[in-house]
């Protein structure tokens, strides 16, 4: 053989042998697509947030800005304190701001919690938790509103959370004020579980039956030692092949594995098993790219990648799969590697049914784009009277009736009915009680008083004088909760409108919210500015009241107004207000009594008494 020909052939063979493993890994064909697999992880870092120490505050405020990718999500929120059997020493205001609809499951044992949210986005069935309904506010407006309620202890912005754990323990090294910063590590104050983006694929050209799970930890902002607890639960049968678990992360990450089935482990760094936590096993050097890790799965004779997930630096990962790989090789669909969860979330869907109440009509709307993610098929939606069925209006189902039809019952100005929903997946229908307020038989009264005793109403107020306002309702309904939403004094055209109350918060130091009357009447006071140019002669005082019935998450708003005369102190020929009239009358009476007494005294001491005869 010609040596000049032999050397290039040998060199070519060596090159092929050296490059073939790498080329297999790099050219492996596996089209990653979203799959339905339950993978959760816990982190402390948020996209933006802050923590402050507010140990001397009477009310501590925590604010959560939540963004969701789905139109309807479920959120479990737990508020926890260090002393599990004690009581938190001060009130806690928890403010939720969400951009999509959320069904909230809240747990806050032993904590005096006040929950604030927009009822158009948050649905919940809470017992024993005080609720404040907020209008749609921007982030800055919400922060300003919360700052008036107490000391802000934490602020966090989260994307697609499934579980949130908020701890009320004071962070000893935190600053005294809360200024949100990007990529904030909330420490022990906040721990949350985002919704993991899980992908899967079928490895072409592999004849084996193994299933691989690839979990990759992305590098964090600060390289510090981190142990990741990995819990894997597989629904396997005897005879299923071993699954493959590939764990890749930065060199400072180690792994503690808890698996319920035999698994072939390839991991970077060091790893150990929960049953033998002190037995550290040295790992391998693995590629740090998705394609490279898919190639490693192929080397291990895996035909299916059931889950491929990338995580930020975390401490806990939980993976649950309903198969170890049996029968997957015959599946005609390369994307669906686990059975889909087709269970209808009936409880979540029933929480979406909230009545909208007008003067004489109850209406319930159910949008179809919210039904789809809940995987429910509705066969019937009616009132208690089955002849009153919902109308299909294209993008939504609408159920409505006047207060005199469809089995409506009116008791003590409250309209009662029942919504009955039948599902394809259930043999028995779901039922929900719904209520509305019969506003035609209710009236709101607005009164101005010039003394804090609220004895004599007035229709006039003097510049520089303090006014006391009372908003009452008749007849009184115990199941009805009233709240002052906003109040203003319109002094146009001579002066601008004066905002007194906005979003149930007093505007400025001249306005004070007062305790309710024994009958539940809402009260506040305000000080009218004493100098205005030009001087207004009249004004309109108006208040908007939010009425909420029972545990309903929707408010009914009504506005009540009254006309006021404005009196200037230096106005010639001004009409005297009631306190001035009473003061002058009492002063005149007192002066008259004193003059009478003085004249009687002078008369009794100066008159000559008749002398007795000698």
């Amino acid at each position: 053989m010609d040596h000049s020909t032999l050397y290039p052939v040998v060199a070519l063979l060596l090159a092929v042998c050296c490059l073939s493993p790498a080329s297999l890994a790099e050219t492996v064909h596996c089209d990653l697509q979203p799959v339905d697999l339950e993978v959760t992880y816990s982190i402390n870092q948020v996209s933006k947030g802050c923590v402050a120490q507010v140990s001397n505050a009477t009310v501590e405020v925590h604010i959560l800005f939540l963004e969701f990718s789905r139109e309807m999500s479920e959120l479990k929120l737990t508020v926890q304190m260090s002393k599990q059997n004690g009581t938190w020493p001060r009130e806690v205001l928890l403010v939720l701001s969400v951009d999509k609809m959320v069904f909230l499951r809240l747990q806050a044992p032993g904590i005096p919690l006040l929950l604030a949210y927009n009822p158009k986005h948050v649905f919940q069935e809470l017992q024993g938790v005080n609720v404040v309904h907020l209008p749609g506010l921007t982030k800055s407006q919400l922060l300003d509103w919360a700052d008036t309620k107490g000391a802000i202890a934490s602020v966090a912005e989260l994307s697609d959370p499934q579980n949130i754990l908020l701890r009320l323990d004071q962070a000893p090294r935190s600053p005294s004020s809360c200024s949100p910063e990007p990529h904030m590590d909330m420490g022990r104050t906040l721990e949350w579980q985002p919704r993991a983006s899980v992908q899967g694929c079928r490895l072409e050209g592999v004849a084996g039956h193994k299933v691989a799970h690839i979990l990759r930890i992305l590098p964090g902002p600060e390289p510090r030692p981190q142990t990741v607890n990995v819990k894997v639960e597989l629904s396997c049968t005897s005879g299923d092949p071993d699954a493959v678990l590939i764990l890749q992360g930065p060199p400072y990450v180690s792994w503690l594995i808890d698996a319920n089935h035999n698994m072939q482990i390839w991991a970077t760094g060091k790893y150990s098993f929960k049953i033998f936590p002190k037995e550290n096993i040295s790992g391998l050097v693995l590629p740090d790219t998705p394609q490279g890790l898919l190639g490693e799965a192929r080397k291990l004779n895996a035909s299916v990648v059931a889950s491929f997930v990338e995580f930020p630096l975390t401490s806990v990962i939980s993976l649950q799969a309903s198969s170890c790989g049996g029968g997957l090789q015959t599946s005609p669909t390369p994307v669906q590697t686990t059975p889909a969860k087709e269970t209808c979330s009936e409880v979540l869907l029933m929480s979406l049914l909230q009545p909208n109440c007008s003067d004489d009509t109850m209406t319930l709307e159910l949008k179809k784009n919210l039904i789809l993610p809940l995987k429910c098929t509705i066969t019937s939606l009616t009132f208690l009277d089955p002849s009153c069925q919902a109308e299909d209006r294209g993008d939504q189902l609408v159920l409505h009736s006047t207060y005199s039809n469809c089995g409506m019952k009116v008791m003590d100005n409250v309209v009662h009915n029942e919504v009955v929903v039948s599902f394809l997946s259930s043999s028995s229908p779901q039922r929900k009680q719904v209520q509305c307020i019969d506003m035609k038989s209710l009236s709101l009264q607005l009164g101005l008083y010039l003394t804090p005793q609220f004895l004599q109403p007035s229709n006039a107020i003097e510049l520089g004088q303090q006014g006391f306002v009372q908003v009452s309702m008749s007849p009184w309904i115990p199941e009805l909760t009233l709240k002052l939403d906003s109040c203003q004094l319109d002094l146009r055209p001579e002066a601008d409108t004066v905002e007194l109350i906005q979003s149930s918060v007093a505007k400025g130091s001249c306005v004070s919210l007062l305790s309710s009357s024994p009958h539940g009447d809402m009260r506040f006071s305000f000080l009218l500015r004493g100098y205005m140019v030009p001087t207004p002669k009249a004004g309109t005082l108006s208040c908007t009241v939010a009425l909420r019935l029972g545990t309903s998450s929707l408010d009914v708003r009504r506005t009540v107004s009254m006309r006021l005369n404005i009196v200037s102190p230096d106005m010639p020929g001004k009409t005297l207000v009631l306190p001035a009239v009473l003061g002058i009358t009492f002063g005149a009476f007192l002066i008259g009594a004193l003059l009478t007494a003085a004249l009687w005294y002078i008369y009794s001491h100066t008159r000559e008494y008749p002398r007795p005869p000698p």
Side-chain angles (χ1 to χ4, degrees), residues 326-530:
L328 287 177
Q329 70 276 12
T330 62
S331 173
T333 306
V335 174
Q336 190 66 45
T337 61
T338 58
K341 301 175 184 177
E342 297 296 340
T343 304
C344 169
S345 301
E346 296 180 4
V347 176
L348 268 68
L349 189 140
M350 296 301 290
S351 70
L352 298 177
L353 292 170
Q354 301 290 336
N356 293 315
C357 307
S358 65
D359 287 340
D360 59 354
T361 304
M362 178 188 294
T363 304
L364 296 100
E365 299 175 349
L366 192 56
K367 297 184 182 298
K368 292 184 179 180
N369 64 341
L370 299 179
I371 304 175
L372 184 62
L374 298 180
K375 301 175 182 177
C376 295
T377 301
I378 297 177
T379 59
S380 174
L381 174 61
T382 70
F383 278 119
L384 187 61
D385 183 351
S387 64
C388 298
Q389 299 187 7
E391 301 176 11
D392 191 340
R393 297 185 180 177
D395 61 340
Q396 62 182 353
L397 300 175
V398 180
L399 182 65
H400 66 96
S401 170
T402 62
Y403 293 159
S404 58
N405 294 322
C406 296
M408 300 283 181
K409 295 181 180 179
V410 182
M411 296 183 293
D412 297 330
N413 301 294
V414 178
V415 184
H416 302 264
N417 207 322
E418 189 174 78
V419 177
V420 183
V421 186
S422 299
F423 298 95
L424 184 63
S425 58
S426 177
S427 58
S428 58
Q430 291 281 345
R431 299 175 180 271
K432 181 176 182 177
Q433 299 289 332
V434 288
Q435 298 171 323
C436 275
I437 309 166
D438 188 4
M439 293 300 301
K440 292 185 298 183
S441 57
L442 292 180
S443 64
L444 294 173
Q445 296 88 34
L446 181 63
L448 173 70
Y449 300 81
L450 302 178
T451 62
Q453 288 75 31
F454 293 90
L455 297 177
Q456 182 68 37
S458 174
N459 63 353
I461 187 171
E462 188 174 306
L463 292 177
Q465 191 174 23
Q466 188 174 21
F468 299 86
V469 180
Q470 176 173 281
V471 183
S472 56
M473 179 187 69
S474 62
W476 177 252
I477 302 176
E479 298 87 358
L480 202 60
T481 302
L482 281 73
K483 182 180 65 175
L484 272 179
D485 187 69
S486 62
C487 289
Q488 63 180 15
L489 179 59
D490 188 355
L491 300 175
R492 292 174 297 180
E494 291 86 3
D496 295 331
T497 299
V498 181
E499 298 292 341
L500 304 174
I501 297 174
Q502 281 186 350
S503 301
S504 303
V505 178
K507 296 293 291 183
S509 58
C510 295
V511 182
S512 299
L513 295 176
L514 306 177
S515 301
S516 300
S517 73
H519 301 289
D521 302 327
M522 299 162 289
R523 293 173 169 179
F524 71 95
S525 67
F526 70 95
L527 183 64
L528 188 60
R529 191 151 46 100

Side-chain angles (χ1 to χ4, degrees), residues 181-238:
E181 298 178 2
H183 307 295
M184 177 69 181
D185 189 340
M186 304 292 287
R188 277 187 49 82
T189 300
L190 186 73
E191 183 178 313
W192 65 294
Q193 293 180 355
R195 184 178 300 278
S197 176
V198 187
Q199 296 178 302
C201 63
R202 182 173 295 281
L203 288 160
E204 295 185 359
V206 180
H209 306 309
K210 289 184 179 180
V211 170
H213 298 276
I214 303 175
L215 308 180
R216 184 187 179 204
I217 298 291
L218 301 175
E222 298 181 3
R224 63 179 186 272
Q226 177 76 43
T227 299
V228 180
N229 293 270
V230 180
K231 184 175 182 180
V232 181
E233 294 184 8
L234 305 179
S235 299
C236 301
T237 60
S238 60

Side-chain angles (χ1 to χ4, degrees), residues 29-204:
H29 184 70
C30 191
D31 186 17
L32 289 171
Q33 297 290 334
V35 295
D36 192 359
L37 196 70
E38 186 173 350
V39 178
T40 60
Y41 62 101
S42 299
I43 57 176
N44 303 100
Q45 182 174 305
V46 299
S47 56
K48 194 174 184 180
C50 60
V51 178
Q53 188 175 10
V54 293
S55 54
N56 296 325
T58 56
V59 177
E60 66 174 273
V61 183
H62 299 267
I63 306 173
L64 298 176
F65 295 102
L66 310 178
E67 294 182 353
F68 294 90
S69 57
R70 301 182 180 182
E71 291 298 324
M72 180 68 186
S73 302
E74 185 174 359
L75 174 65
K76 181 181 178 181
L77 176 57
T78 303
V79 184
Q80 194 178 89
M81 57 184 174
S82 56
K83 295 181 180 180
Q84 298 298 326
N85 297 325
T87 302
W88 194 246
R90 55 180 166 270
E91 185 180 14
V92 177
L93 172 60
L94 178 57
V95 183
L96 299 182
S97 173
V98 300
D99 64 337
K100 301 283 193 336
M101 290 190 176
V102 174
F103 181 75
L104 177 65
R105 299 185 183 274
L106 176 67
Q107 293 182 349
I111 298 173
L113 184 67
L114 180 63
L115 186 64
Y117 58 82
N118 186 340
K120 293 183 179 179
H121 290 156
V122 179
F123 299 91
Q124 47 78 30
E125 294 180 0
L126 303 176
Q127 299 294 333
V129 177
N130 295 321
V131 173
V132 174
H133 287 176
L134 298 176
L137 302 175
T138 64
K139 287 184 179 180
S140 59
Q141 290 173 336
L142 197 59
L143 289 170
D144 292 340
W145 178 85
D147 193 42
T148 64
K149 295 297 185 179
I152 298 179
S154 71
V155 177
E157 297 182 11
L158 312 177
S159 297
D160 273 333
Q162 296 184 92
N163 280 287
I164 300 176
L165 173 59
L166 177 64
R167 296 186 180 94
L168 301 181
D169 304 332
Q170 291 296 313
R173 297 183 180 178
S174 300
S176 57
S177 60
C178 207
S179 299
E181 298 178 2
H183 307 295
M184 177 69 181
D185 189 340
M186 304 292 287
R188 277 187 49 82
T189 300
L190 186 73
E191 183 178 313
W192 65 294
Q193 293 180 355
R195 184 178 300 278
S197 176
V198 187
Q199 296 178 302
C201 63
R202 182 173 295 281
L203 288 160
E204 295 185 359

